[in-house]
Amino acid sequence: MTDLFSKFDPLIEQRETLLDSGVTDPFNLVMEKVESPTVAVCNGKRTILLGTYNYMGMTFDPDVVAAGKKALDEFGSGTTGSRVLNGTYVGHRAVEQALKDFYAMDHAMVFSTGYQANLGIISTIAGKDDYIILDIDSHASIYDGCALGNAQIVPFRHNDIEALEKRLKRVPEGAGKLVVLEGVYSMLGDVAPLKDMVAVSKANGAMVLVDEAHSMGFIGEHGRGVAEAQGVIDDVDFIIGTFSKSVGTVGGFCVSNHPKFEILRLVCRPYVFTASLPPSVVATAATSIRKLMDSADKRAHLWENSKRLHSGLRQLGFTLGTDEPQSAIIAVIMPDLEKGAAMWEALLNEGLYVNLARPPATPAGMTLLRCSLCALHTDDQVGEILGMFAAAGRATGCIS
Ligand SMILES: Cc1ncc(COP(=O)(O)O)c(C=O)c1O
C-alpha cells in the first residue's frame, strides 16, 4: 500500500526541525480570552492584536452584538438547510439588501464564506471552454474556483498591466474571458492598478471580477474598495467580498449589476449544496455593513495608523513589503523561516501578536510578519507596538 500521506513528509520534516529548535509553534496559538478587537489574552499575557483582519473593529460593536443576540433568540442557532430550500430567512434577505445599498448595485448573493463565494462564482461563470486571466499572486480561493470550473487558466505577472494585455490578446477569438483581480493583495498589502487593468480588460472584451476582501469598509470614499477609490467600480462586473474581515463575522458575497445575475442562485453549486449562514451571523453582518456606510472617521484613523506604523518600522530598519503604506496591511520581510519564527515568538513574548506567513501562501518564497491594523488601535497602542518591534528586532538580531 502506498501511504497517501507520504507527500506531506517534507512539510512534516520542516515543521519538526522548526519545533526542535525550541520555538513556540506559530501556527497553533490559542486566544484564551478576547477583550476587544485589539486586545486578547494569550499564554496568560495581555497581547495587542496586530494580526487579525478586524480592520474596522466591528466584532465588539454593541449594536452588532445586540443584533446577533436578538436573532439567536428569535430564529434559533442555525438554519439547517440550503438557501434554495429552507435556509433563506428574512435575515438573509436583509443582509443582501444591506450589501446592495452599501455598493449601490442591483444584485447581492451571500455565501457561507468568502472562500465559497470565489469558488462558486468563478467556477459557475467560467467553464471548460472559457479563459480566466488572473494575477499570479491570486488568493487560494480564486485558484480553487478556477480549478473547480475547469476553465483554461492564464496567469500573468503580479500587477503587470502589459502582461495582462498580452495574455488577453492571445486568447482565441470568440472565447469567453474573465479577468480576476484583487483590490488589495493580502500578503504584501499592495494595491492593484485597477484603473488601467479594468480598462485593458474591457478593451479586450473580457468580463472583470475583483476580490475586495481586504479593502471593503476601509478603502474608497464609501468603503467600497479599490475599484471605487480608482473610479472604475461601474466597469467591474462582479465584486467578491467577505464578512470575515472589516464586517467582523463570517460569510462571503458577490455583488453585481449583471441583468441575469439571479440565475446563479440555481446553478452555483457552492451556493446550493451547503447550509446557509446562521441567523445570528447574518444579523450581525447586516448591522455591521450598515454602520460601515457611515464610518469616514474610522477610515481616516485607520489610514493614520497605517502610515505611522509603516514609517516607524522603516525608521527602525525593517524591510517592508511596500515603499508606501497602501492598505491596512504592512508586511515585514524576514530573511528566512527560522528568523521569522524567532522574531514572531519574541514579539509574542513582548505582548504582540502578528501573523507569520510563509510559502506557499506568500509570493517569491518569502517569510513575512504580517501586521494588519485596526481602526480601533489607539495612538498609544501604535507607540507600544513600535516599542515591541524595536525590542524584539534587537533581541533576535533582525535590526541593529
Ligand atoms: C483575497 C481573499 N479572498 C477571499 C478570502 C476568503 O475569505 P473567507 O475568510 O470569508 O473565506 C480571503 C481570506 O483570507 C482573501 O484573502
Side-chain angles (χ1 to χ4, degrees), residues 229-241:
Q230 295 187 14
V232 288
I233 196 161
D234 291 340
D235 296 323
V236 171
D237 298 278
F238 309 97
I239 290 179
I240 295 283

Side-chain angles (χ1 to χ4, degrees), residues 8 15 65 72 76 96 104-105 119 133 186 245 249 259 269-270 299 305 356 399:
F8 306 126
R15 188 178 145 80
V65 172
L72 198 55
E96 286 173 345
M105 290 215 181
L119 208 61
I133 303 94
S186 66
K245 307 193 194 304
T249 176
R269 294 166 69 89
R299 285 194 261 283
N305 282 348
L356 178 66
I399 53 169

Side-chain angles (χ1 to χ4, degrees), residues 53 113-116 118 139 141 182 184 186 211 213-214 242-245 251-252:
Y53 296 131
T113 63
Y115 178 90
Q116 280 166 282
N118 270 330
H139 189 257
S141 57
E182 293 179 36
V184 171
S186 66
D211 182 331
H214 293 274
T242 173
F243 297 161
S244 72
K245 307 193 194 304

Side-chain angles (χ1 to χ4, degrees), residues 3 13 28 41 44 50 55-56 75 96 106 110 134 140 170 184 208 210 222 228 298 309 332 338 340 347 353 399:
D3 182 0
E13 205 181 299
N28 208 9
V41 175
L50 190 67
Y55 301 124
M56 296 297 282
F75 291 93
E96 286 173 345
D106 295 340
V110 166
L134 81 171
R170 274 194 222 141
V184 171
V208 180
V210 180
H222 302 93
E228 180 190 29
K298 280 170 96 178
L309 186 67
V332 182
E338 286 66 35
L347 285 172
Y353 173 77
I399 53 169

Side-chain angles (χ1 to χ4, degrees), residues 121-205:
I121 296 293
I122 296 173
S123 65
T124 309
I125 62 179
K128 198 167 147 288
D129 300 320
D130 300 319
Y131 283 74
I132 298 176
I133 303 94
L134 81 171
D135 188 294
I136 197 153
D137 288 351
S138 292
H139 189 257
S141 57
I142 292 174
Y143 276 104
D144 293 356
C146 295
L148 188 69
N150 260 323
Q152 302 292 321
I153 303 173
V154 186
F156 65 89
R157 209 169 78 139
H158 178 56
N159 273 352
D160 186 331
I161 303 159
E162 277 176 28
L164 165 63
E165 190 169 25
K166 256 191 212 155
R167 302 290 182 284
L168 275 164
K169 291 202 184 300
R170 274 194 222 141
V171 173
E173 191 76 22
K177 285 174 269 191
L178 177 68
V179 170
V180 179
L181 306 166
E182 293 179 36
V184 171
Y185 285 85
S186 66
M187 286 299 135
L188 296 178
D190 55 331
V191 157
L194 286 188
K195 190 169 192 286
D196 291 336
M197 288 189 152
V198 171
V200 159
S201 305
K202 291 281 139 179
N204 286 278

